[in-house]
Amino acid sequence: MKATDTITVVEGYDAMRIFLETSWRRHGEFASEIELLIGGLKWADGAPVDPTLWEDWLAAVQTACIGRMPKIVEN
């Protein structure tokens, strides 16, 4: 995926859901992690504050575009 790629509204919705579910599974507690997610999703100097969240987002978009759920690796 590249930053210039486009997706539909439905794909975007699915990608965000997949992204949040992946983050929730990784961290274990969704409610307590929302502030962390918001902070990590901000942009600073032209790049995401948390590059791992950006990579998770790109993977979620790619998964939504091909219509399948990713395998979740639990830590």
Side-chain angles (χ1 to χ4, degrees):
M1 300 295 306
K2 296 178 280 192
T4 56
D5 290 346
T6 59
I7 61 174
T8 68
V9 172
V10 172
E11 288 169 336
Y13 180 86
D14 287 342
M16 181 55 76
R17 179 183 47 77
I18 293 164
F19 172 75
L20 290 174
E21 286 175 359
T22 300
S23 296
W24 172 69
R25 287 186 180 114
R26 179 172 293 135
H27 297 288
E29 291 182 24
F30 180 78
S32 65
E33 298 298 329
I34 194 70
E35 187 174 1
L36 173 68
L37 289 172
I38 292 169
L41 293 171
K42 292 181 180 179
W43 291 89
D45 298 324
V49 171
D50 185 336
T52 301
L53 291 177
W54 176 249
E55 292 300 319
D56 286 348
W57 168 253
L58 292 177
V61 170
Q62 184 173 11
T63 299
C65 289
I66 61 175
R68 63 177 172 81
M69 291 295 296
K71 283 184 80 172
I72 304 300
V73 177
E74 297 197 24
N75 295 331

